[in-house]
């Protein structure tokens, strides 16, 4: 899942996938509309290189205004019958909350009923940011929401899962997003340079549609975010996954690099905010 996902605020000019060694690549779309490349290798090899290079234009505003429908401006609200049917499993929590701890944590942000929907969701996202310490984590897998609350720390994917499950406890439709964090100034949390792999969530609010929330950086809207794939469960949006045949000592090392460059830098001109960028995942 390495092809940027086009939206109204993200235009994809080009995308190339290069594989070493030689491989057969076939493309398809999954149930969520994500572009999936399936790679079958022709011969045995002692190394694997996957290079994904894309040129995109990101025009998301830094301070977006959302046209939330009057019926959903105040929480609690009820989705329309068609919305509820189509959202389906995206409204269902994916992790157990046996003793109700997560539910109680979420309820702590609701000061009154009714309350402003967008303000409430911002408060919950900000709560993840302020109550959980960010730590980059290379371990495979994702912490459960309860583990993140108990430990008080997590990576961007742990933050995303906690926020997604919290919103689902309120009956909202949420999907988890895997993609890149565009950070030319190298000032955002979770950034390892001008570009980094990243995870966040999108919540469906009638009228406004899917609104991006990045709890790692306490931001709302798609500014600085380049999505690759969306899904109900974070395990469904692993950028690269697969199997190999060999011994248990064959995989000696793995390295992921994300390079981001202004598309106009090559022409020695300045790039205004919201302009194009070349992204390469190696």
């Amino acid at each position: 899942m390495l092809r940027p996902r086009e939206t109204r605020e993200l235009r994809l000019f080009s995308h190339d996938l290069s594989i070493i060694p030689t491989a057969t690549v076939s493309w398809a779309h999954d149930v969520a509309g994500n572009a999936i490349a399936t790679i079958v290798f022709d011969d045995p090899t002692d190394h694997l290189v996957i290079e994904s290079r894309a040129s995109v234009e990101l025009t998301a505003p830094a301070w977006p205004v959302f046209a939330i429908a009057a019926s959903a401006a105040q929480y609690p609200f009820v989705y329309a019958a068609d919305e509820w049917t189509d959202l389906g499993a995206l409204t269902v929590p994916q992790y157990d909350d046996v003793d109700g701890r997560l539910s109680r944590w979420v309820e702590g942000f609701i000061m009154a009923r009714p309350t402003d929907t967008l303000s409430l969701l911002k408060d919950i996202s900000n709560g993840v940011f302020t109550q959980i310490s960010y730590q980059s984590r290379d371990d495979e897998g994702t912490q459960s929401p309860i583990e993140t609350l108990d430990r008080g720390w997590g990576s961007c994917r742990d933050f995303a899962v906690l926020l997604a499950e919290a919103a689902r406890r309120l009956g909202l439709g949420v999907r988890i997003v895997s993609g890149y964090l565009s950070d030319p100034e190298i000032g955002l949390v979770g950034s390892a340079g001008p570009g980094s792999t990243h995870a966040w969530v999108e919540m469906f609010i009638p009228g406004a549609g899917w609104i991006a929330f990045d709890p790692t950086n306490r931001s709302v809207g798609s500014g600085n975010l380049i999505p690759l794939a969306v899904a109900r469960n974070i395990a469904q949006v692993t950028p690269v996954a697969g199997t190999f045949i060999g011994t248990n000592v064959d995989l000696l090392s793995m390295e992921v690099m994300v390079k981001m460059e202004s598309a106009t830098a090559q022409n020695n001109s300045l790039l205004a905010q919201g302009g194009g960028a070349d992204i390469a995942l190696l």
Side-chain angles (χ1 to χ4, degrees), residues 205-264:
I205 309 298
W210 292 103
I211 300 178
F213 289 83
D214 179 10
T216 306
N217 287 287
R218 198 164 52 179
S219 65
V220 181
S222 299
N224 298 104
L225 300 175
I226 300 173
L228 294 178
V230 301
R232 166 182 52 83
N233 192 307
I234 196 166
Q236 298 172 294
V237 289
T238 303
V240 177
T243 59
F244 72 93
I245 299 174
T247 70
N248 61 354
V249 297
D250 282 343
L251 184 60
L252 299 180
S253 65
M254 181 177 68
E255 184 177 9
V256 177
M257 295 185 296
V258 178
K259 298 179 180 179
M260 188 167 298
E261 182 181 27
S262 162
T264 54

Side-chain angles (χ1 to χ4, degrees), residues 34-217:
N34 302 310
I36 310 296
T38 301
I39 304 168
V40 178
F41 299 96
D42 299 330
D43 299 298
T45 183
D46 60 0
H47 69 286
L48 169 64
V49 178
I50 301 174
E51 179 180 348
S52 175
R53 185 177 297 274
S55 178
V56 305
E57 180 183 41
L58 182 61
T59 58
W63 304 100
V65 176
F66 302 105
I68 296 176
S71 61
Q74 299 287 310
Y75 178 85
F77 65 86
V78 178
Y79 286 121
D82 283 343
E83 291 171 338
W84 189 259
T85 299
D86 292 335
L87 289 170
L90 296 178
T91 65
V92 179
Q94 304 297 298
Y95 294 81
D96 292 333
D97 184 27
V98 178
D99 62 359
R101 184 180 177 195
L102 179 59
S103 296
R104 291 192 300 272
W105 184 79
V106 178
E107 284 292 325
F109 294 96
I110 305 175
M111 299 295 103
R113 282 183 166 84
T115 188
D116 183 78
T117 299
L118 187 58
S119 295
L120 171 60
L121 299 180
K122 287 180 179 179
D123 286 346
I124 299 173
S125 182
N126 291 345
V128 176
F129 177 89
T130 57
Q131 297 181 30
I132 309 299
S133 298
Y134 174 82
Q135 290 189 22
S136 178
R137 189 165 57 82
D138 294 329
D139 298 340
E140 185 177 354
T142 305
Q143 296 175 175
S144 71
I146 300 303
E147 287 176 322
T148 300
L149 289 176
D150 285 343
R151 294 172 180 175
W153 59 267
S155 66
C156 62
R157 63 186 184 275
D158 303 318
F159 279 39
V161 167
L162 174 57
L163 179 57
E165 289 295 286
R168 286 168 177 162
R169 294 287 164 184
L170 299 180
L172 300 183
V174 185
R175 58 192 187 187
I176 294 182
V177 191
S178 172
Y180 301 122
L181 178 65
S182 172
D183 185 18
E185 304 300 325
I186 316 180
L188 298 176
V189 178
S191 176
S196 303
T197 56
H198 199 50
W200 61 96
V201 304
E202 292 179 348
M203 303 186 196
F204 185 81
I205 309 298
W210 292 103
I211 300 178
F213 289 83
D214 179 10
T216 306
N217 287 287

